[in-house]
Amino acid sequence: MHRHAQEAADVPFVFAERFNSGDPSAVAEMYEADAVFVAPSGQVARSRAEIARENAGFLALGLPITVRPRQVHTAGDVALLVVDWEIDGTGPGGRPVRRTGTATDVARRGADGRWRYVIDSPDGARGAGG
C-alpha cells in the first residue's frame, strides 16, 4: 500500500516514493482524472493513458528520482509546487543517465483530502510551451 499526500508539501515526496517503487499504477494515482502533463517536448498529455505513457519513459530508466521542493504555495485547495528533481545513475545497457529539471506543478486537494497533480510540468519554464 502506498501512502497518500495529505498536505500540499507532501506531493513531491509521495510522488518520488511511488515513482521509486517502479509501479506505474501507483504513479498514475498521483494525478486527477482531468490532469495534464506537459512533456519536455512541450506536448501536452491530456488523458490518463497519455500521462502514463509520458511517465513510462521516465520509469523505464529504472533509476530512482530525488526531489527537492523549492517552493510550495497554497491557496485553499490548490497549490503551486516548484520542485528540483534528478534521476542519476547507470541506466539500461550500462549507460550513464543524468536527467534533471525544475518542475512547475499545480496540485489540488480532492474531496477525500488527498492532494494530486492537476498540471505536471517536469521541465517547468524550460518546456517548449503548452
Side-chain angles (χ1 to χ4, degrees), residues 27-96:
V27 172
E29 290 174 358
M30 290 298 301
Y31 295 86
E32 287 194 351
D34 61 348
V36 299
F37 181 101
V38 182
S41 67
Q43 290 288 99
V44 178
R46 299 187 181 277
S47 71
R48 286 189 179 268
E50 290 173 349
I51 292 170
R53 209 169 15 259
E54 290 296 335
N55 275 316
F58 288 102
L59 287 167
L61 296 172
L63 297 169
I65 190 169
T66 303
V67 296
R68 288 175 301 288
R70 212 189 271 191
Q71 298 176 29
V72 177
H73 301 287
T74 306
D77 291 337
V78 178
L80 172 65
L81 309 164
V82 179
V83 181
D84 294 325
W85 60 270
E86 178 178 70
I87 298 172
D88 190 14
T90 303
R95 294 171 305 150

Side-chain angles (χ1 to χ4, degrees), residues 2-15 17-18 29-30 107-110 112-117:
H2 297 282
R3 96 180 158 109
H4 302 282
Q6 300 298 324
E7 303 292 333
D10 295 338
V11 173
F13 298 109
V14 172
F15 176 85
E17 288 172 15
R18 287 167 173 257
E29 290 174 358
M30 290 298 301
R108 181 169 37 215
R109 181 177 25 226
D112 60 2
R114 298 174 182 167
W115 288 82
R116 295 175 182 87
Y117 290 112

